[in-house]
Amino acid sequence: FGGGGFGSSSTAPSKKKAARGKSGRADLLSTLNDDDSKKKKDKSSSQTFVKSDQEQLLNDLAAKSAQTIIGKAVASSPDYNSPDMDPFWQLLPSLISTKFPSASDGELKRVAGMVEFSLGARGLLEDDVISDQWRPHEELHAYMPGLGATEPFLDPNQLGLCKQLSENYEVITKEYEALLEERFDSKGKDRFQSVTSMNYDAGWKTMVLFYNGHR
């Protein structure tokens, strides 16, 4: 299984990257507090939010998240708590805990394995992956353990999503054709975005329908 766009633990962060990490903490805090700048403020019930309270909230969340299986996976990296670790990885346990608060360690076991692999733990590769002559496992930069034996084709009946896609083929086709009619905006810019041009010499283009919670 190969993926793209994962943070690397081998590059030392610059001052600019460190600043971005602080911004990430602010975004996380905003999410936790259900912040909405468009809401009207009621002076009778408004409260001053002290910066020290924000830091304490984030520190408490980080301490709790560090005990989860994702937190332990991040902590297993040799670069943990060092300037060489990308701030993304240290924020990841808190982000997952807030996004999926009811997820158990058992349910996140494979995700934790993917995190460990991305941070350098190459011992997680299954034998069938290593022995596959057509799969250069030394070049894998992302891998999720526990996906089962490699097969040329998977049975679509194993996933409910595949059934939904098949049943709604006509609807999806009509929606796609409608998107093609409005492919270019008023300035002539192509709405279809390349998702691989930054990492590969050639790739494909996609129409982003749903991204980071936004349609």
Side-chain angles (χ1 to χ4, degrees), residues 24-34 52-72 80 89-102:
R25 289 169 66 89
D27 292 340
L28 176 59
L29 181 65
S30 177
T31 301
L32 291 174
N33 293 330
D34 192 22
S52 59
D53 294 337
Q54 297 179 0
E55 290 296 327
Q56 186 60 49
L57 178 63
L58 288 172
N59 290 336
D60 290 346
L61 175 62
K64 182 177 180 181
S65 301
Q67 302 304 313
T68 66
I69 193 171
I70 302 298
K72 293 176 181 178
Y80 182 64
W89 295 111
Q90 300 199 50
L91 279 175
L92 185 62
S94 297
L95 293 172
I96 291 181
S97 293
T98 55
K99 184 66 175 179
F100 306 101
S102 61

Side-chain angles (χ1 to χ4, degrees), residues 2-201:
F6 288 96
S8 171
S9 61
S10 59
T11 303
S14 63
K15 293 181 179 179
K16 186 175 182 181
K17 178 180 284 188
R20 185 185 64 199
K22 292 181 180 179
S23 175
R25 289 169 66 89
D27 292 340
L28 176 59
L29 181 65
S30 177
T31 301
L32 291 174
N33 293 330
D34 192 22
D35 186 20
D36 187 351
S37 59
K38 296 182 180 180
K39 291 181 180 179
K40 294 182 179 180
K41 295 183 178 180
D42 184 353
K43 293 184 179 180
S44 63
S45 60
S46 62
Q47 296 180 354
T48 302
F49 205 75
V50 183
K51 185 176 181 180
S52 59
D53 294 337
Q54 297 179 0
E55 290 296 327
Q56 186 60 49
L57 178 63
L58 288 172
N59 290 336
D60 290 346
L61 175 62
K64 182 177 180 181
S65 301
Q67 302 304 313
T68 66
I69 193 171
I70 302 298
K72 293 176 181 178
V74 173
S76 68
S77 169
D79 295 328
Y80 182 64
N81 272 342
S82 77
D84 293 330
M85 174 168 269
D86 190 317
F88 164 78
W89 295 111
Q90 300 199 50
L91 279 175
L92 185 62
S94 297
L95 293 172
I96 291 181
S97 293
T98 55
K99 184 66 175 179
F100 306 101
S102 61
S104 66
D105 281 354
E107 293 171 319
L108 295 173
K109 182 177 180 179
R110 285 167 51 200
V111 178
M114 182 188 70
V115 171
E116 289 187 40
F117 183 88
S118 299
L119 291 173
R122 292 300 187 261
L124 298 171
L125 291 174
E126 280 92 347
D127 291 339
D128 65 314
V129 175
I130 298 175
S131 61
D132 189 344
Q133 62 175 326
W134 305 109
R135 194 172 193 178
H137 62 274
E138 297 90 349
E139 300 177 13
L140 290 178
H141 62 280
Y143 178 76
M144 179 174 286
L147 291 177
T150 302
E151 300 178 22
F153 299 97
L154 297 176
D155 183 359
N157 293 321
Q158 294 179 349
L159 295 174
L161 175 61
C162 293
K163 182 179 180 181
Q164 287 183 306
L165 291 173
S166 298
E167 293 175 347
N168 292 278
Y169 170 78
E170 297 294 339
V171 175
I172 295 172
T173 301
K174 291 180 180 178
E175 290 180 348
Y176 174 70
E177 292 173 348
L179 287 172
L180 287 179
E181 294 179 0
E182 300 180 356
R183 177 170 180 172
F184 298 94
D185 62 19
S186 59
K187 296 182 180 180
K189 183 178 180 180
D190 193 346
R191 297 179 188 274
F192 281 71
Q193 303 174 21
S194 173
V195 295
T196 58
S197 59
M198 292 187 296
N199 300 315
Y200 304 96
D201 294 333

